[in-house]
Amino acid sequence: MPVIKSVFKNVRSSERKRLVNLKTKESFKGKVKEVKQLIAANKMSDAQKELPAAFKALDMAAKKNVISANSAARKKASLARAAAKEATKEVKGKKK
């Protein structure tokens, strides 16, 4: 156990920050997972509706420094690319 008073304060502070960061991380991971599941299930209209919410959650996580801005950008680009790929498959399938 820490002996110095300021270390006790730092432990309490870091625990509060850890919980806030964990909540933010769970939030964006859940949104991203939901969009990926919708894309996999070929529910593109629902996926397109949920995509902005996932982007917002990723942007908030980057703003709060839970993840880096570059990491958020990569995840957003990956989701957008996957959604666009499935949307083109859906359109090509309807033309035949």
Side-chain angles (χ1 to χ4, degrees):
M1 285 298 293
V3 177
I4 302 169
K5 194 174 189 178
S6 63
V7 177
F8 277 115
K9 293 176 185 178
N10 287 338
V11 168
R12 286 196 309 266
S13 173
S14 64
E15 179 62 18
R16 281 193 303 268
K17 290 176 188 176
R18 186 185 73 81
L19 292 174
V20 169
N21 290 342
L22 187 63
K23 183 177 178 184
T24 304
K25 188 177 271 194
E26 286 174 351
S27 172
F28 85 77
K29 281 188 172 187
K31 299 278 186 192
V32 168
K33 187 175 182 181
E34 185 177 344
V35 171
K36 285 183 179 179
Q37 287 174 344
L38 288 170
I39 290 171
N42 289 328
K43 296 181 180 178
M44 291 310 299
S45 60
D46 294 336
Q48 291 293 342
K49 290 177 185 174
E50 291 298 321
L51 206 55
F55 284 177
K56 183 176 180 179
L58 284 165
D59 286 336
M60 289 304 293
K63 183 179 179 182
K64 293 179 178 181
N65 290 322
V66 175
I67 58 173
S68 70
N70 196 33
S71 178
R74 275 196 325 271
K75 290 178 191 303
K76 286 167 55 177
S78 175
L79 279 177
R81 193 168 39 249
K85 184 177 179 182
E86 289 299 318
T88 57
K89 280 184 183 178
E90 192 174 275
V91 170
K92 286 181 181 177
K94 288 183 179 176
K95 285 184 179 179
K96 290 183 180 180

